[in-house]
Amino acid sequence: VFTYKDRMRIENEDVPEAQLVTGAQSGDARSFELLFDRYYNMIHAFAYRVCLVETEADDIAQETFIRAARGISSYRGAASFKNWLYRIAHNALVDWGRQSARQRDKQDQFAAELQAQAQARTPDYTDVHSAMRQLSPDLREAVALVYFEEMNHRDAADAMGCAETTISWRVFRAKSALKKLLGSKTGEAP
């Protein structure tokens, strides 16, 4: 016996993306809801890997889908719908970065939340999480897209709105920095 949630998941998997996009562009709320169900967890995970704060990742993912709903009529299919969503998420993350830079008090709150989350994680993840936190947002975002979202450098560049060589450079810089940061924590030479 399938539950309602099982039926919704199966229904979502059976409908081609192009059909859902066309339906959403025509104003069909159910089509957009299925797109949301299909991609929300992916966008939320990406946002968390960049901002490293669960509550902020919630807000960024929600903002991404609000912007997508408002702009779906302008989606022309030049990039895959998934990459289009990543681009919107990237822009939401840029806006989040600007806002958080202006709100130093909130950063202290985020740091306290991050520390509480890090204490709840295993020690291995704490070191990696702490090292990732020390990277600039651009480097974290490149690492998140390439290694966690498993995008190639070209797709990551499209999502971030920069050159493919920029992604390659950011990934190289991030790997170098992480090696140094994690090597110094474990007592190994970088």
Side-chain angles (χ1 to χ4, degrees), residues 22-93:
T22 301
Q25 287 177 320
S26 299
D28 177 32
R30 181 70 183 131
S31 293
F32 190 81
E33 182 182 345
L34 290 173
L35 287 168
F36 177 90
D37 290 344
R38 187 175 287 184
Y39 291 113
Y40 181 83
N41 289 338
M42 174 192 76
I43 293 299
H44 184 276
F46 168 61
Y48 178 76
R49 288 177 181 130
V50 175
C51 74
L52 301 174
V53 179
E54 186 71 31
T55 56
E56 292 300 309
D58 294 341
D59 292 344
I60 291 163
Q62 289 173 9
E63 179 64 22
T64 297
F65 281 94
I66 289 169
R67 291 179 186 186
R70 289 180 182 152
I72 192 130
S73 63
S74 67
Y75 173 70
R76 298 290 175 238
S80 70
F81 185 77
K82 179 174 129 177
N83 281 359
W84 185 70
L85 283 176
Y86 273 120
R87 180 72 178 149
I88 294 170
H90 163 76
N91 290 335
L93 282 160

Side-chain angles (χ1 to χ4, degrees), residues 130-132 134-135 176-186 190:
S130 177
M132 286 287 288
Q134 293 180 49
L135 298 178
S176 297
L178 289 171
K179 183 176 179 182
K180 184 182 287 186
L181 289 167
L182 292 171
S184 67
K185 291 191 183 285
T186 60

Side-chain angles (χ1 to χ4, degrees), residues 52 114-134 182 185:
L52 301 174
L114 177 65
Q115 186 175 9
Q117 288 175 359
Q119 290 173 348
R121 297 185 192 282
T122 62
D124 294 338
Y125 293 122
T126 301
D127 290 345
V128 172
H129 194 269
S130 177
M132 286 287 288
R133 184 100 176 124
Q134 293 180 49
L182 292 171
K185 291 191 183 285

Side-chain angles (χ1 to χ4, degrees), residues 135-154:
L135 298 178
S136 70
D138 286 345
L139 296 183
R140 280 197 311 257
E141 187 172 1
V143 167
L145 287 171
V146 171
Y147 290 103
F148 295 107
E149 305 305 323
E150 298 179 358
M151 285 187 171
N152 62 39
H153 287 202
R154 181 178 313 155

